[in-house]
Amino acid sequence: MSRPPVNPPASPSPSEEPRPGPDRNAGAAPVAPPPAAVVTALIVAAEATALLVAAGWYGYQLLNGSPVLSFWGAVFTLGLLLAFAAWLYAVAVFLYRGYRWTRAAALVAQLFVLTIGFPTLSGGLVVAGLAMLLPAVAAIVLLFHSKVISYASRTGSAPPAL
């Protein structure tokens, strides 16, 4: 059985502890997000807000007795809208913080927006289609910007051992 050292080393001072952020070097200052990452996070947050507004409108119509084929199917759709809005808010926050997994999540969300935006645009709803397509395309382009890629490289760190 091993024993703890008689004179344990002093704990590191706050200036020597690693700080959170994409740059995990000990003593490095937190890195500010590049403007492209901020804009992408804002686009994702705006899409989440639009989904939340759509869910509110959908719920209002459901409560007012709009005819639906399946009431519980409509409730399930409302739950999906709320869950996806919450997920996009989480993606926006963690993208702003620089986590790696958010780039993939934001890209998939933009691809979903594109699959809805193109039929909307070609169906004659030009303003609504462009309101979906332009931010989605901008977010996709910004997600592959070199500064966003290098900023969004933070992984979850392991908890301290002691």
Side-chain angles (χ1 to χ4, degrees):
M1 173 186 276
S2 65
R3 294 183 183 178
V6 177
N7 294 323
S11 63
S13 67
S15 63
E16 295 174 2
E17 292 180 3
R19 294 184 179 153
D23 186 6
R24 290 179 292 268
N25 295 335
V31 178
V38 173
V39 170
T40 307
L42 288 174
I43 289 172
V44 172
E47 291 170 345
T49 304
L51 271 178
L52 200 58
V53 168
W57 175 78
Y58 192 79
Y60 174 76
Q61 293 294 324
L62 189 62
L63 290 175
N64 277 343
S66 292
V68 293
L69 293 175
S70 168
F71 175 75
W72 293 110
V75 170
F76 179 74
T77 303
L78 178 62
L80 282 178
L81 286 171
L82 291 172
F84 198 49
W87 172 250
L88 281 180
Y89 277 127
V91 168
V93 167
F94 286 107
L95 178 64
Y96 180 79
R97 292 181 183 175
Y99 281 85
R100 181 179 306 198
W101 62 268
T102 57
R103 288 186 59 244
L107 178 64
V108 169
Q110 302 316 309
L111 293 176
F112 280 134
V113 171
L114 288 179
T115 61
I116 296 170
F118 278 119
T120 303
L121 184 66
S122 63
L125 299 169
V126 177
V127 174
L130 288 176
M132 287 186 258
L133 290 177
L134 293 178
V137 169
I140 289 172
V141 169
L142 290 174
L143 281 171
F144 289 101
H145 192 274
S146 61
K147 290 186 179 181
V148 174
I149 292 172
S150 65
Y151 175 72
S153 62
R154 179 178 172 192
T155 59
S157 60
L162 295 176

